[in-house]
Amino acid sequence: MGTTQADLTRTAGKPIHCKAAVARKPGEPLVIEEVIVALPKVHEVRLKIICTSLCHSDVTFWKLKDFPGCFPRILGHEAFGVVESVGEDVHDLKEGDSVVPIFLPDCAQCIDCTSKKSNNCSKFEFKVSPWMLRDGTSRFTTVDGETLYHFLSVSSFAEYTVVDIANVTKIDPCVPPNRACLFSCGVSTGVGAALKSAKVEPGSTVVIFGLGAIGLAVAEGARISGVSRIIGVDINSDKFEIGKQFGVTDFVNSNSYGDKPISQVINEMTNGGGDYCFECVGMGKLVQEAYACCRKGWGKTIVVGVDKPGAELTFKSFDVLHLGKTLIGSLFGGLKPKSDIPLLVKRYLDKELQLDKFVTHEVSFQDINKAFDLLVEGKSLRCVVWMDK
């Protein structure tokens, strides 16, 4: 990784001047500039970012003109790093620890975090805030004193960042950095949605709406679970060849059936619907299509995609009562960051979970805007950005 204890000791105890890729205006290329990263405060750690990867959420908020979009901001939330220094009252992390920052807080103390039934921390409500978790301030400034906003409690498009301990999970240092960063968001979300939220069963039929990185991660989780059939639904036929690598057995191009509802196509293909239907795009009408093609009696529809704020869903009360289907949401795949991520890491180290096929590109930090271009153009699943290469 190129980081030694001497490197960490040299910077501890003082503000750090380093490079960050700053989003200054909606949709415009990030600007790599010198920033100052403050010392970590109580219950915080400062991380040296080794590599980061680009997620669609970064692109969404990069383009967003209205709040919760705000500028200037340091985006990025999928990353692998090393603890450079710790603030007061930090007991479970120390300098040199290998970690992944995760947008979803896990305080490990509240009723939700100590329950196996929830990953929605009640002490720190998840929200897209431009500030640090506890005190509502920033740890980033420019050399001219301008405040820079945080993103999803991580802000990994910088050589150093400050993160609350509720958003940091230790990870086995045996995992290569360019694979470890994938555990921060997308891959964990998809795999977790299949394994933990849906608890897909061997021999079942799975339907996935949207074969982006998260949809393919759902397929990977379903493959691990031993399902017999994975039907991928997308508007891009090229996704089928990619999907085969992740266990997708059938492909439906939703643009190929005219006015015929895709739910009807799926119901006919499966003789009554899928056992588990995952919506991984973030569109209300697709959630309703997924619900319409999950099997009556025991079918589950799992909402994984993030829709626009204020979007609503409409279902007939008669259908909800009489069809016996289940509709659930799956934020971060239902995973509890501090306890479930180590289990996924073990699956990777045991060669059960395959991560290599998710990384389609790798670039240097100086070329981070190329990573945005690749994702926007649909040419990459995950592009890893190396800070030192």
Side-chain angles (χ1 to χ4, degrees), residues 153-169:
S153 300
V154 176
S155 292
S156 60
F157 292 168
E159 292 176 318
Y160 290 85
T161 187
V162 176
V163 184
D164 192 281
I165 57 173
N167 295 101
V168 178
T169 296

Side-chain angles (χ1 to χ4, degrees), residues 294-357:
C294 74
R295 186 171 293 275
K296 64 181 176 62
W298 65 76
K300 285 185 180 180
T301 298
I302 302 91
V303 180
V304 188
V306 180
D307 206 341
K308 60 182 180 295
E312 296 182 351
L313 299 172
T314 303
F315 298 95
K316 294 180 180 178
S317 178
F318 180 91
D319 290 346
V320 172
L321 174 62
H322 288 262
L323 297 181
K325 301 179 180 184
T326 301
L327 174 68
I328 61 172
S330 182
L331 181 63
F332 193 55
L335 300 176
K336 302 173 78 66
K338 294 188 188 300
S339 55
D340 287 329
I341 293 304
L343 298 179
L344 287 188
V345 169
K346 185 178 186 304
R347 287 181 183 267
Y348 168 72
L349 294 175
D350 290 344
K351 303 188 185 304
E352 183 182 1
L353 173 60
Q354 299 173 15
L355 292 181
D356 294 352
K357 54 194 177 184

